[in-house]
Amino acid sequence: LSPGAKMGCFTFIKVMMILFNLAIFLGGGTLLGVGIWVKVDGESFLDIFGALSSSVLQVVNVAYLLIVIGAILLVIGFLGCYGAQKESKCLLMMFFSVVLIIFIVEVAAAVVALVFTGLAETLLTGLVTPLLKDKYGVDATFTHIWNVTMTEVHCCGLNNYTDFDDSYFYKKYNSYPRQCCGDTQYLSFWGMLCPGSWGITISCHPHPCGCLLQGCFPQILEEIRTNAGVVGGVAAGIAALEIAAMAVAMYLYCRLDEK
């Protein structure tokens, strides 16, 4: 290519880098703002976006998750946008390094999720189960999030109803949450039958709550497996964007040496 063509290509890629990272920066600011909103006034957020309450995000603290993701996107967007606009090799290298670290973490997390599902379940159990025992029925926002989740996903607790054993809620009411009992028409006692999660009929042990539903983690895991193609496509798309962003940042970095 002629010097003029090379300069035109450099300028085009630089502008696209600025616009792309400006969008990331604005998106990160939006997520950060929403995360702060959820933290300050979670009830109104759930009232407006109640339909989303059955998502995987309900298993963890939505507010902190949004704040962390928003802050990371803000940093990435700033480094990429400002670094390209100012043609700063230092900022471009920082942008490349941050995206590379995130890419490596995502790959490692995907490997752990695929190979060590049991380990992921153990870690979640160690983090979430104590919260269910201590905060369910005490913290209004936490309780509301789990109530909507268990209702929408048709599940009980993280692993199963025993997550509520010896909990504040069970000690106070001597019962499990009503969401754990499923449809009242299926309540049963010893010797009767009740439907399983996929329409399979299973026998129930005697319990005042009747047929207790399975945990949310197995349900969510089953949903992920059912939609593995969509999940894999989204993950591949994100990975491709990250690789492209790193390639563009490195191209601009190297071209600045020639200038």
Side-chain angles (χ1 to χ4, degrees), residues 2-245:
S2 64
K6 290 183 178 180
M7 182 57 64
C9 181
F10 174 84
T11 302
F12 173 76
I13 293 178
K14 172 184 171 181
V15 171
M16 294 304 296
M17 180 80 166
I18 292 173
L19 293 177
F20 178 73
N21 283 280
L22 180 60
I24 292 178
F25 182 83
L26 294 176
T30 301
L31 287 180
L32 183 62
V34 172
I36 295 173
W37 172 26
V38 175
K39 181 63 180 175
V40 174
D41 189 13
E43 290 287 347
S44 63
F45 177 84
L46 290 172
D47 289 339
I48 295 174
F49 298 99
L52 301 179
S53 298
S54 61
S55 66
V56 180
L57 296 180
Q58 298 304 323
V59 178
V60 296
N61 192 307
V62 179
Y64 289 119
L65 182 67
L66 291 176
I67 290 173
V68 169
I69 294 176
I72 292 174
L73 291 179
L74 274 176
V75 172
I76 292 176
F78 172 79
L79 291 176
C81 182
Y82 194 70
Q85 198 275 328
K86 291 296 184 180
E87 297 185 0
S88 171
K89 295 181 64 176
C90 178
L91 292 179
L92 288 173
M93 183 54 66
M94 289 177 63
F95 171 84
F96 177 88
S97 301
V98 171
V99 175
L100 178 62
I101 291 172
I102 293 174
F103 179 78
I104 293 173
V105 170
E106 288 173 349
V107 171
V111 171
V112 170
L114 291 173
V115 181
F116 303 105
T117 304
L119 175 60
E121 183 175 3
T122 301
L123 292 174
L124 277 175
T125 300
L127 292 172
V128 177
T129 303
L131 293 177
L132 283 174
K133 292 183 181 296
D134 297 335
K135 298 183 66 175
Y136 187 86
V138 179
D139 186 292
T141 301
F142 182 84
T143 303
H144 182 66
I145 289 174
W146 271 95
N147 282 342
V148 177
T149 300
M150 292 189 293
T151 300
E152 295 291 333
V153 186
H154 304 294
C155 58
C156 177
L158 182 67
N159 296 298
N160 52 53
Y161 70 94
T162 59
D163 289 342
F164 291 100
D165 289 347
D166 300 320
S167 66
Y168 167 85
F169 185 89
Y170 190 85
K171 290 176 182 177
K172 183 175 181 179
Y173 299 103
N174 194 31
S175 178
Y176 298 98
R178 64 178 179 81
Q179 288 80 7
C180 292
C181 302
D183 198 333
T184 55
Q185 64 177 309
Y186 297 136
L187 296 185
S188 62
F189 296 93
W190 183 257
M192 298 184 67
L193 299 175
C194 57
S197 299
W198 294 277
I200 303 173
T201 301
I202 57 174
S203 63
C204 296
H205 291 278
H207 194 281
C209 191
C211 295
L212 296 167
L213 300 174
Q214 66 173 331
C216 294
F217 183 82
Q219 286 283 69
I220 292 172
L221 193 60
E222 182 64 25
E223 287 294 325
I224 292 175
R225 286 170 176 167
T226 302
N227 299 281
V230 176
V231 175
V234 172
I238 293 175
L241 283 175
E242 291 170 342
I243 293 174

